[in-house]
Amino acid sequence: MPGLYLHIPFCKQACHYCDFHFSTSLGLKEKFVQALVQEIALRRAYLPAAPLDTIYFGGGTPSLLSTEELDVIFAAIGQHFEVNPRAEITLEANPDDLTAEKLAALAASPVNRLSIGLQSFHEPHLRLMNRAHTALESSQAVQRAQAVGFENISVDVIYGVPADSHAIWQADLQALLSLGVPHVSAYALTIEPDTAFGRRLKKGTFVAPPDEFVAEQFELLLSTLRAADYEQYEISNFCQPGRESRHNSNYWRGVPYLGLGPSAHSFDGRTRQYTVANNPQYVAAVLERGEVPATVEHLSALDQANEYLLTTLRTSRGTDLGHLHQALGRDVLAERGDYVTSLVAQGMATLDGPVLRLTDAGKLLADHITLELFAE
Ligand code: SF4
């Protein structure tokens, strides 16, 4: 069953590592919500006629939406889509927004899952990354959310932040475990050119940790979460048994989804659509001209095969090379058999019948291995 993604393109301040689409100027927020409601109506026919299984508010910072704005958006969704009564409805939130009052309002709304961006429990790291919250607020936000009845919580953390040793990351992992949440997303700090860190790296005023340091922190992440009975169901995603994010899992299974808002992507099985990553242009096009400023990319058979590799190789289910061959016409074993054999021989991957899966060592090189297996 299809999913809906809504991109809320506003943040209080720019985190120094972030290259998502957002604006720190909130002046257009009211108009943006009007445009989003309009876009919901304009694009209601994009998805197959089936109840929505997942709704995901991402960003940006969706917790900047007021209760009234959220109500208006849910009313529009309800007017134009059928929603599965058991749909997973996630809202990304930052700890500094999760006051007791805000959480009470969210608990009374259709939102039934929170994804909270903690990133770190170490104050100097939060300041280094220019996060808008303190370490104390990180833990308190989760505890407050649990106190108002949110049990279905995911938290985001970042590793590979510059440090003299692994002590801070180990302490972060213990603080994370003490929260008892069913889902964790853990990302390596990546330095993108168009970010504050990227510009400082270029000027020589920021030094990224060596790859081995990041790899050791990834191994610590795996061993600590596994020992606490979390399953790694995708390279960056961990959950207690049966608590996968339905929204993300559907995305990795190639289920169609509709992305609304500036910079959002949509996928219907044959095409991919990208909405312009510019708030004023988005608002003007939708409100003044009644059109969604988006680029459509028709996926060739080769694109679809690459897409399948890209999304499945990162998951614990792995890539079914038989499906890739029969359904998408790409015979990886005939074309890149030697490379697959060398991956297995080096302990980077396993081949279980037709299913290729990365080992822990292979996961560290997942992007490189995927590129090697891509068809050109
Ligand atoms: S990490 Fe999140 S809160 Fe920080 S700038 Fe990016 S989207 Fe905004």
Side-chain angles (χ1 to χ4, degrees):
M1 290 198 287
L4 196 63
Y5 172 83
L6 301 101
H7 190 83
I8 311 301
F10 300 101
C11 294
K12 277 186 195 159
Q13 61 190 51
C15 302
H16 284 170
Y17 55 87
C18 180
D19 75 340
F20 291 150
H21 170 66
F22 65 91
S23 168
T24 51
S25 152
L26 271 59
L28 261 188
K29 187 153 80 86
E30 201 180 318
K31 282 246 180 316
F32 159 77
V33 172
Q34 290 169 15
L36 191 65
V37 164
Q38 179 81 1
E39 192 189 0
I40 291 169
L42 287 170
R43 299 187 70 193
R44 57 186 293 174
Y46 181 88
L47 291 172
L52 293 175
D53 186 45
T54 63
I55 299 175
Y56 193 101
F57 289 84
T61 310
S63 51
L64 286 178
L65 290 172
S66 68
T67 308
E68 294 72 29
E69 288 168 334
L70 208 52
D71 284 348
V72 167
I73 296 168
F74 274 123
I77 294 172
Q79 192 183 343
H80 296 290
F81 291 95
E82 191 185 339
V83 182
N84 174 0
R86 297 187 59 244
E88 175 191 272
I89 303 178
T90 305
L91 182 122
E92 288 182 353
N94 275 343
D96 41 309
D97 292 329
L98 294 180
T99 59
E101 192 188 0
K102 179 83 178 184
L103 279 163
L106 287 171
S109 81
V111 172
N112 54 30
R113 182 172 183 270
L114 291 177
S115 172
I116 307 178
L118 303 185
Q119 317 312 355
S120 173
F121 298 87
H122 183 62
E123 200 66 45
H125 276 179
L126 290 171
R127 302 288 66 79
L128 177 75
M129 295 190 279
N130 201 36
R131 296 288 298 170
H133 57 95
T134 63
L136 185 62
E137 282 173 317
S138 290
S139 304
Q140 284 180 340
V142 176
Q143 288 155 355
R144 267 202 296 267
Q146 289 166 330
V148 299
F150 277 106
E151 185 275 333
N152 201 357
I153 294 174
S154 176
V155 298
D156 283 3
V157 286
I158 293 179
Y159 60 95
V161 182
D164 292 337
S165 72
H166 295 314
I168 295 168
W169 178 231
Q170 282 168 318
D172 269 2
L173 286 169
Q174 291 312 315
L176 174 68
L177 290 182
S178 73
L179 297 173
V181 293
H183 192 282
V184 174
S185 298
Y187 301 99
L189 179 69
T190 49
I191 310 299
E192 304 294 343
D194 197 18
T195 61
F197 279 165
R199 288 183 283 277
R200 282 167 54 182
L201 190 74
K202 204 170 159 196
K203 280 198 288 182
T205 55
F206 179 84
V207 181
D211 289 350
E212 306 78 64
F213 180 87
V214 181
E216 284 162 14
Q217 296 215 330
F218 181 66
E219 281 155 16
L220 275 170
L221 168 74
L222 297 189
S223 57
T224 307
L225 290 193
R226 274 182 193 148
D229 290 333
Y230 284 83
E231 295 167 2
Q232 186 190 25
Y233 69 104
E234 195 266 353
I235 287 183
S236 307
N237 287 280
F238 301 80
C239 66
Q240 291 172 346
R243 305 302 302 272
E244 292 89 352
S245 152
R246 272 156 61 187
H247 187 81
N248 287 345
S249 298
N250 284 348
Y251 164 68
W252 296 316
R253 286 193 193 106
V255 173
Y257 59 87
L258 170 60
L260 304 171
S263 84
H265 296 185
S266 304
F267 173 69
D268 66 1
R270 288 162 292 106
T271 64
R272 212 163 251 306
Q273 196 161 321
Y274 309 88
T275 303
V276 68
N278 179 302
N279 294 356
Q281 282 177 25
Y282 168 79
V283 166
V286 176
L287 289 186
E288 291 165 22
R289 301 192 295 280
E291 61 190 36
V292 180
T295 311
V296 180
E297 181 191 353
H298 292 270
L299 300 175
S300 65
L302 213 62
D303 292 334
Q304 288 181 45
N306 285 345
E307 179 96 14
Y308 178 74
L309 260 170
L310 183 73
T311 50
T312 55
L313 201 54
R314 295 177 59 88
T315 68
S316 58
R317 291 152 56 102
T319 300
D320 184 339
L321 298 180
H323 173 79
L324 191 58
H325 187 195
Q326 281 138 29
L328 301 167
R330 173 93 205 285
D331 190 349
V332 170
L333 289 178
E335 295 168 36
R336 300 289 279 127
D338 288 350
Y339 182 65
V340 171
T341 305
S342 75
L343 285 177
V344 174
Q346 293 170 60
M348 296 283 177
T350 60
L351 196 54
D352 187 7
V355 179
L356 183 68
R357 282 192 192 87
L358 297 180
T359 60
D360 289 351
K363 285 170 188 163
L364 279 167
L365 298 171
D367 291 345
H368 173 78
I369 293 171
T370 307
L371 278 177
E372 284 286 332
L373 292 173
F374 268 6
E376 290 176 4

